[in-house]
Amino acid sequence: MKYVFGIDLGGTTVKLGLFTVEGELLDKWEIVTRPENGGEHILPDIAAALQAKLEEKKIALDQVAGAGLGVPGAVLEDRYVKPCVNLNGWGGDVAGMLSEMCGFPVKAANDANVAALGEMWKGGGQGYENVVFVTLGTGVGGGIIINGKLLSGVHGAAGEIGHLKVRAYESEPCGCGKYGCLEQYASATGIVREANRRLTGLAIPSALRSLEKVTAKDVFNCAKEGDALALDVVNLFGNTLGRALANVSCVCDPDVFVIGGGVSAAGQIILDVVQEAFRAHAFPASEGTRFELAKLGNDAGIYGSAQLACS
Ligand code: ZN
């Protein structure tokens, strides 16, 4: 039996998974991320956690095919991580260093990209080799898989779907410093901002007015109840994202778009509004592209990192 580890490094916790090379999750656990001092503890902590798991499960080093590491930043050549802002500038040849500490091969990739691999392997994109994964959370992330391989790009920026330019005029800057990015309208933050813009600027009634603080979940729930203002926000979200994905399909023409992240918990309504706009704008040959909700939730990162280690 051969094993792989999937590691998903986040700002507060590191999620770890022990898998068979066939993709069966045998065990998962978490350790705390210690980002202080430029993240000097991060790799030794991970190496110690993997070592302890091998001892606990009585797995010999030669039974480990490798490990994959998803990181919150841009990654070049499966190993070099550009300094991560939310990990105090942690970066460098992290795959090489972790491999040296552990004694088996390690590959690294961006966290949204590994989540895409995970969803292709065992989630909403299972059975397909051309998958575009979109994660809708506080921001909008993405991962593009072509012929079963991640597309990471020369600068590690391929799949940064959240920064597609979708609006010509926008007064507030995006997190990236530019204006009019998809993330500004299709993230949870963007949905709430659009709802608040309408609640302040328009006199029309809405159930959202009775809430102290509006969340993206509230907007979708009210839209499902037929609330006109909430529906307007959801339709703007659907139109903006659907049109952006129609443009993406002109570039890489995937089998399936898999939509995940916290916002996707709203369920079928997301697929309905996005798919409608997608079909209206897509190049005719791509109109039938499939849309699926992500299935792995918070485990997408460890599944995808493990898949990366197998590839
Ligand atoms: Zn941006």
Side-chain angles (χ1 to χ4, degrees), residues 18-242:
L18 172 67
F19 293 80
T20 65
V21 289
E22 286 79 30
E24 188 191 347
L25 177 59
L26 302 171
D27 196 5
K28 65 171 178 173
W29 72 106
E30 291 185 9
I31 59 172
V32 172
T33 305
R34 292 195 290 157
E36 58 268 26
N37 289 333
E40 64 177 11
H41 303 296
I42 291 174
L43 294 176
D45 285 354
I46 292 172
L50 299 184
Q51 192 55 45
K53 190 56 67 178
L54 291 180
E55 279 166 26
E56 177 197 326
K57 301 282 182 184
K58 301 192 169 32
I59 296 171
L61 207 55
D62 62 4
Q63 289 176 279
V64 182
L69 174 63
V71 305
V75 182
L76 305 177
E77 297 169 32
D78 289 343
R79 59 190 300 170
Y80 302 100
V81 176
K82 290 188 180 174
C84 296
V85 182
N86 58 349
L87 295 174
N88 298 321
W90 178 84
D93 180 12
V94 301
M97 289 186 276
L98 187 59
S99 175
E100 204 152 282
M101 290 175 203
C102 294
F104 45 76
V106 177
K107 286 184 185 174
N110 169 265
D111 51 8
N113 285 355
V114 295
L117 279 177
E119 288 292 338
M120 174 192 73
W121 204 27
K122 299 291 170 185
Q126 196 171 7
Y128 299 102
E129 290 210 314
N130 297 283
V131 177
V132 172
F133 174 66
V134 185
T135 172
L136 309 172
T138 317
V140 173
I144 298 172
I145 299 165
I146 302 296
N147 297 329
K149 297 274 179 208
L150 263 183
L151 184 71
S152 41
V154 173
H155 308 99
E160 286 289 354
I161 288 167
H163 304 283
L164 285 168
K165 295 297 166 286
V166 296
R167 215 181 260 189
Y169 303 101
E170 172 58 58
S171 54
E172 292 176 38
C174 174
C176 74
K178 306 290 170 74
Y179 295 79
C181 295
L182 176 64
E183 177 166 297
Q184 294 187 272
Y185 316 102
S187 63
T189 323
I191 290 164
V192 168
R193 193 183 58 148
E194 288 298 327
N196 284 331
R197 278 180 172 178
R198 280 162 181 71
L199 289 168
T200 352
L202 304 171
I204 59 173
S206 169
L208 292 171
R209 292 193 189 279
S210 63
L211 304 171
E212 205 170 292
K213 193 166 169 278
V214 173
T215 65
K217 189 179 171 194
D218 297 326
V219 174
F220 282 102
N221 283 342
C222 286
K224 287 176 191 169
E225 300 293 318
D227 186 279
L229 188 145
L231 266 173
D232 188 38
V233 175
V234 168
N235 284 331
L236 173 78
F237 154 84
N239 271 318
T240 311
L241 181 55

